[in-house]
Amino acid sequence: EQEGLLSDNQFRRERSVAELRRAIDAGGALGADTVLIPFFQVCEISEDKHKNRAIDALRQVAETAELVDVTVTLETTLPAAENAEIVDAVDSPAVKVCYDAANKVALYGFDAVEEIETLGSRIGEYHVKDFLTPPPEFPENYARLGGGDVDQQAVADAISDLGYEGWAVLETQFDKPLDHTRDELAFTKALFEE
């Protein structure tokens, strides 16, 4: 059974919308410009009713997000075309997609460049990491940037071709030394150099 915004229980859905609205308000008060909603596991959009509930919830918080200048991004297991349908149905500049090429390529088998082209200006956040396919159990599925199955340069070029100017969130392995993160950051910066 799905939880949160997708729950079959209307009270739980309403409570989740209220909590999301508070998170958006808090983000705005703190100067954050993005609030991410991960639609995974017990909150995975796996049926049309879940997609409709996600759209309904996002419509309910969109005006608040616009008012406090926060973008709400959704990260899902869905293909780009379905994510685009959700964003288009909400019809708010404050609701976009968080694109994570490693998840899409290694976990779900999608073509990252095609997905980025499909989503276009609907991308409001971009996660940078690399995974292996087929993925071993977490956290062993992580690979050093450029050492996994994501063509990082092709993804960076596709993102750049959109004119994307938002966040590129570096998702490094949490159990590695700081030098590892520095190397990953340098690798990521080099992707965007002309």
Side-chain angles (χ1 to χ4, degrees):
E1 180 180 325
Q2 302 308 85
E3 294 292 332
L5 299 172
L6 308 182
S7 175
D8 287 334
N9 181 300
Q10 183 176 345
F11 173 75
R12 287 185 180 172
R13 288 196 311 273
E14 290 171 358
R15 182 175 175 164
S16 295
V17 167
E19 290 171 357
L20 177 56
R21 191 174 283 118
R22 280 194 297 276
I24 293 166
D25 281 335
L30 292 169
D33 60 4
T34 306
V35 170
L36 168 69
I37 307 172
F39 285 99
F40 300 119
Q41 297 174 350
V42 297
C43 293
E44 183 175 353
I45 301 171
S46 58
E47 300 176 36
D48 284 343
K49 70 178 180 179
H50 301 146
K51 191 185 301 184
N52 292 332
R53 288 174 183 167
I55 291 167
D56 181 58
L58 292 164
R59 283 178 177 158
Q60 290 182 59
V61 301
E63 187 175 343
T64 299
E66 290 175 28
L67 183 65
V68 299
D69 201 26
V70 167
T71 300
V72 176
T73 60
L74 55 143
E75 186 175 5
T76 77
T77 60
L78 299 172
E82 290 187 53
N83 281 317
E85 288 172 15
I86 292 170
V87 170
D88 292 349
V90 176
D91 193 27
S92 167
V95 176
K96 297 191 178 245
V97 172
C98 171
Y99 193 76
D100 187 320
N103 288 354
K104 295 299 189 160
V105 171
L107 301 181
Y108 312 117
F110 298 120
D111 180 296
V113 173
E114 286 180 15
E115 290 237 312
I116 291 165
E117 291 170 351
T118 297
L119 289 168
S121 63
R122 298 176 192 92
I123 295 176
E125 184 177 356
Y126 160 50
H127 286 179
V128 183
K129 68 175 180 269
D130 217 337
F131 277 167
L132 301 170
T133 306
E137 292 299 312
F138 180 83
E140 288 81 21
N141 56 340
Y142 272 96
R144 223 178 229 292
L145 285 175
D149 291 331
V150 177
D151 183 340
Q152 298 291 342
Q153 190 62 63
V155 169
D157 291 347
I159 289 281
S160 294
D161 289 348
L162 295 177
Y164 177 78
E165 295 180 350
W167 287 100
V169 178
L170 186 59
E171 292 189 317
T172 61
Q173 291 175 267
F174 56 86
D175 60 346
K176 297 290 184 187
L178 189 55
D179 286 344
H180 175 83
T181 302
R182 283 189 190 110
D183 292 346
E184 300 277 88
L185 180 59
F187 180 94
T188 303
K189 286 181 175 181
L191 293 172
F192 294 95
E193 291 177 354
E194 295 293 321

Short mmCIF file of all heavy atoms in Angstrom, two decimals, residues 19 133 149:
data_model
loop_
_atom_site.label_atom_id
_atom_site.label_comp_id
_atom_site.label_asym_id
_atom_site.label_seq_id
_atom_site.Cartn_x
_atom_site.Cartn_y
_atom_site.Cartn_z
N GLU A 19 1.89 18.82 5.27
CA GLU A 19 3.31 18.73 5.63
C GLU A 19 4.19 19.24 4.49
O GLU A 19 5.18 19.94 4.73
CB GLU A 19 3.67 17.29 5.99
CG GLU A 19 3.07 16.84 7.30
CD GLU A 19 3.24 15.35 7.56
OE1 GLU A 19 3.78 14.63 6.70
OE2 GLU A 19 2.82 14.91 8.63
N THR A 133 25.36 -1.28 -13.95
CA THR A 133 24.22 -2.07 -14.41
C THR A 133 24.70 -3.49 -14.68
O THR A 133 25.69 -3.66 -15.38
CB THR A 133 23.65 -1.49 -15.73
OG1 THR A 133 23.36 -0.11 -15.54
CG2 THR A 133 22.40 -2.22 -16.15
N ASP A 149 27.74 3.22 -15.74
CA ASP A 149 27.06 3.05 -17.02
C ASP A 149 26.45 4.32 -17.60
O ASP A 149 25.83 4.27 -18.66
CB ASP A 149 25.99 1.96 -16.89
CG ASP A 149 26.63 0.60 -16.70
OD1 ASP A 149 27.75 0.39 -17.19
OD2 ASP A 149 26.01 -0.25 -16.05
#
